[in-house]
Amino acid sequence: MNDNRLGTAVSPYLRLHADNPVDWREWGPEAFAEARERGVPVLVSVGYATCHWCHVMARESFADPEIGSLLRQDFVAVKVDREERPDVDASLMAAASAFTQQLGWPLTTFLTPEGHVFFAGTYFPPTPVGQVPAFRQILAAVLDAWTERRHEVDANAAAIATAIRQGAEADATARAAEGADGADPSPLARPARRSAGSATHRNRPEGAHLPSVDNIRAVTGQLSRAEDTTYGGFGGAPKFPSTPLLEFLADAARDGDAEADGLLDRSLHAIRASELTDADGGVFRYATKRDWSVPHYERMLYDNAGLLAVAGAEQARGIADFLRDTLRQDDGAFVAAQDSESTIDGQRVEGEWYRRPLSERALLEPPPLDDQVLTGWNGLAIRGLAIAGDRHDDPEMIGLARSAADALLRSHVRDGHVEVRSSTPRGPSAAPATVEDVGLLAEGLLELALVTGEVTYAVTARSLVDDGLANRFDVDAVLAGAGTATGEQPQTAMRSGTVALAAAAAGLAALTCDSAYRTAAARLVADRATTGTERPLGHADALGVALGLQRPSREVVVVTSDPHDPLRDAVRAARRPGTVIARVTPTQAAEWATAGFDLFEARDALDPAAYVCHDRVCALPARSAGDLAAGLAAPAA
């Protein structure tokens, strides 16, 4: 009897498996309670809707009636969408690393009814391939161990769970120790408010052990040695865009590092000129070959959004066109991805649609979309579009950012708090919001507020940052009971929520004149940045934020009612680590001040005027683009 329960799921990935002969369950306490009652292990299979090898394993294994029968009889089978449940994916990935270093999706894990992983792998074929056993063999071996060597299974599972728990506790303890005395020990807890002090560089964070500027700048040399000087980018095959790494290079370049500027330019050129960039401007997830050829054809919102923040004008325009024409919903929000596979001549094939000329594509059914609207990923897109739109003077990009923000604020945010992590046309998911959602949306809204001058976005961003720093997140019941909740893991493919939360907090410190935000930001990124100086290819996401926190803060406010005032253009070149730039009308300046953003106090009297402040100590207002340029060039007092 088939009792598959995925037909009503919100997740598009889960719904793809609704017709399998497997009695799939969604992740939750009920599935593990059933396993305890039956005395059987739990198979948890993790993937996402546009994952090619997830599709392959579904066709080869999960659609097989014999395998379905085995799973119904001897296991409780659970499907997880990693995009919907990044908390579950992170925990299972941490456990899976005990069994294989070739981590990825589909992720195949076997758990005890207590929620502890005792075996894991990735894709398993229907028949053995080289050293990779068939999925049937895996199921047989797992069942044999479960029934004949249960004490070993339980011992191994407990050891892995203990290692995960100790690692998470060590991280929490270390981060709490770096905060102010008496602070909440939570790694995201906001420290007590403290006065700004009086020294010129009083705003450099205290307590957190950030790597020095010299250590951060030395990372560029490591990356130069790792650069593929033949084809561009870093390392061999497969080649990823690695947008957090590119963002660090952009930050370092704006900080005056010419070597970083060259690395960034060559990497972006390689991506733009290769098969990784499609004819319509969208960028694929990665290339399977060292020369950036033979893409893995799925196209993710997060890769493209991340590239927007660093790309040149032509490249950014192409990516924005792809987001607008392919991933954008009618309400302005962006869906998660476009599939690698499409149906051509009745056959499901990978990549063929993308290999056709654009004129031919228009006559064919396009690859399907992963129609989840993810709060965090949309925050990343809002940020990328706002940055690119401002840098390249492209109002349409800023409009796309604004419409996405408005859509999220209508449907995913309530009273300044993220209420919905994921939604589809079938409704909102019950998955809890994570630091990814809060941090990335806060950073995106704050960037949009600074570009448009609209304080309402900043007010919501401040509320979200306060939620994140207070660690207002629900811990999944199964992970909590098992003691295996890991929190967010270091990111290599996209900007992490923790880093985004830190960046938003640092921005709020400048805008509110509350140095507690800056102290909290440093605490959040200190350990990550230190790791990044040692292993930048996989852990670069915090380096740019750390660099900005080590620099004296600089605030630039342009006040003008003329949208074409030369002051607005002159300030673009001022963007660098440690600098916050805002453009407002006199009316908007008054609104920011009323909302508690003290940087804007008494900034509504002159029009036009530009204020250059170092650690909130401001020079006389500049009234022309030339005076502003001179003020920006002047060193901190």
Side-chain angles (χ1 to χ4, degrees), residues 120-142:
T122 54
Y123 162 76
F124 290 112
T127 58
V129 177
Q131 299 299 310
V132 181
F135 191 48
R136 287 182 180 83
Q137 293 174 305
I138 292 294
L139 295 179
V142 166

Side-chain angles (χ1 to χ4, degrees), residues 13 40 50 72 96 102 214 248 266 274 303 328-329 349 365 375 504 539 612 622:
Y13 175 64
V40 298
T50 61
R72 288 197 304 273
Q102 303 301 315
D214 287 344
F248 162 67
R266 290 190 295 274
S274 71
D303 287 322
R328 188 174 185 265
Q329 294 193 141
V349 290
E365 181 182 348
T375 297
H539 301 271
V612 179

Side-chain angles (χ1 to χ4, degrees), residues 22 25 37 49-50 68 87 139 152 163 198 206-207 216 331 356 377 389 449 457 476 492 532 536 565 585 611:
V22 180
R25 308 288 189 265
E37 181 179 345
T50 61
D87 53 341
L139 295 179
E152 296 179 14
S198 58
E206 303 171 5
I216 296 173
D331 66 355
R356 302 286 181 95
W377 295 16
Y457 296 127
D476 175 78
T492 57
D565 194 299
T585 66
Y611 303 85

Side-chain angles (χ1 to χ4, degrees), residues 108-121:
T108 305
T109 58
F110 295 90
L111 286 71
T112 68
E114 291 71 40
H116 297 155
V117 175
F118 64 90
F119 184 71

Side-chain angles (χ1 to χ4, degrees), residues 226-470:
E227 184 184 19
D228 182 343
T229 56
T230 302
Y231 298 110
F234 303 93
K239 279 275 183 70
F240 286 83
S242 301
T243 54
L245 184 59
L246 298 180
E247 181 128 8
F248 162 67
L249 290 174
D251 286 332
R254 285 190 288 266
D255 197 57
D257 188 336
E259 187 178 15
D261 191 40
L263 284 168
L264 174 66
D265 185 66
R266 290 190 295 274
S267 296
L268 289 173
H269 174 77
I271 292 169
R272 182 175 67 251
S274 71
E275 294 179 31
L276 199 71
T277 297
D278 191 31
D280 66 0
V283 177
F284 298 111
R285 184 162 172 253
Y286 64 88
T288 62
K289 302 295 184 182
R290 178 189 162 197
D291 63 357
W292 296 98
S293 64
V294 192
H296 190 62
Y297 285 99
E298 58 191 325
R299 301 198 285 186
M300 315 301 294
L301 174 60
Y302 61 76
D303 287 322
N304 288 274
L307 283 168
L308 272 171
V310 297
E314 181 182 353
Q315 191 171 24
R317 184 64 256 175
I319 293 171
D321 289 346
F322 163 66
L323 296 187
R324 180 197 64 207
D325 298 339
T326 303
L327 298 187
R328 188 174 185 265
Q329 294 193 141
D330 290 342
D331 66 355
F334 298 102
V335 299
Q338 187 174 33
D339 209 319
S340 60
E341 298 185 355
S342 61
T343 302
I344 297 179
D345 296 330
Q347 299 294 317
R348 184 83 168 178
V349 290
E350 184 199 14
E352 180 59 31
W353 187 83
Y354 298 103
R355 289 188 286 266
R356 302 286 181 95
L358 290 177
S359 59
E360 286 188 29
R361 289 188 202 179
L363 306 176
L364 299 170
E365 181 182 348
L369 299 175
D370 176 345
D371 63 0
Q372 287 187 96
V373 172
L374 299 167
T375 297
W377 295 16
N378 271 264
L380 194 65
I382 292 164
R383 174 177 181 264
L385 285 164
I387 291 173
D390 180 51
R391 179 186 297 135
H392 306 305
D393 195 18
D394 190 320
E396 189 196 14
M397 291 188 196
I398 297 173
L400 290 171
R402 188 197 301 268
S403 62
D406 292 344
L408 267 289
L409 293 177
R410 285 193 302 268
S411 58
H412 284 206
V413 177
R414 186 171 296 111
D415 298 327
H417 310 287
V418 176
E419 296 289 337
V420 177
R421 167 175 169 75
S422 168
S423 67
T424 73
R426 297 167 294 281
S429 166
T434 68
V435 68
E436 176 183 287
D437 302 300
V438 170
L440 290 173
L441 183 59
E443 190 180 25
L445 292 176
L446 193 60
E447 196 69 53
L448 182 61
L450 294 171
V451 168
T452 63
E454 295 185 18
V455 70
T456 54
Y457 296 127
V459 169
T460 301
R462 182 175 58 192
S463 177
L464 296 176
V465 169
D466 288 343
D467 280 353
L469 296 180

